[in-house]
Structures are given as C-alpha cells and as structure tokens.
Amino acid sequence: RVGQPLPHQGACKHFMKSYRWLRFPCCGRAFPCDECHDAQSDHHYEWANRMLCGYCSFEQLAAKDKCGHCGRGVTRARTSFWEGGEGQHDE
C-alpha cells in the first residue's frame, strides 16, 4: 500500500542494504531480489524494470539511487570501506 513501508524496508537476506522490491515481468509479482524470486517461483526470473520503494511502497521504473516519490535512497550509499578503504582485499 503506497505510503506504508515494505517488510524490512524491502531488504532481504541476499541484499541487506537494498531498500526496494523488484516487479518481475515474467509473473507480475514483486520480490526483494532475483534470488528470492527464483526460490519462491516455479520459473527463472526475467530482468525486472520496475521497483517498489521499501520506504513508501511507491511503484516506479527501477532506479539505483532514490525513490521518485519520497526521495529516500533505495540502495546503500557508497562508502570508503570497500572503495579504497579498510575493506580493500588486494593490499
């Protein structure tokens, strides 16, 4: 329902910092990610091009940054931990 957050603000065990669900055109159903889709469906996913914001449930074209309705970020912001920081694997 628009205006209400999704369960866990859209995050799942595969993508803990993704705050959106994706609407899959193969079945018209929404899931937090492609892995969740395949685990709960009897078919392989087709690439999703629509999403529901995890904070306000507004459905819109898929985006990587902000919800076009409430303006909140739908994916985790980049940090210096992995991008050249402490999380660097090749030191």
Side-chain angles (χ1 to χ4, degrees):
R1 192 170 100 184
V2 174
Q4 299 295 315
L6 294 172
H8 309 289
Q9 284 76 47
C12 69
K13 67 180 182 178
H14 307 108
F15 295 93
M16 301 289 286
K17 299 294 181 182
S18 179
Y19 306 109
R20 64 182 175 183
W21 281 10
L22 302 170
R23 172 100 41 214
F24 292 90
C26 49
C27 56
R29 295 177 61 202
F31 294 91
C33 75
D34 56 344
E35 293 181 47
C36 289
H37 171 282
D38 286 354
Q40 299 175 42
S41 301
D42 60 359
H43 59 278
H44 187 66
Y45 76 93
E46 289 179 18
W47 196 260
N49 60 1
R50 297 195 61 78
M51 71 173 199
L52 287 85
C53 173
Y55 296 104
C56 71
S57 299
F58 184 75
E59 187 165 344
Q60 59 206 293
L61 290 175
K64 290 185 179 180
D65 50 4
K66 291 190 220 175
C67 171
H69 184 72
C70 72
R72 302 221 20 209
V74 293
T75 58
R76 181 179 178 195
R78 291 184 163 244
T79 66
S80 62
F81 184 77
W82 289 113
E83 291 81 19
E86 298 174 32
Q88 213 168 3
H89 290 286
D90 53 350
E91 284 186 359

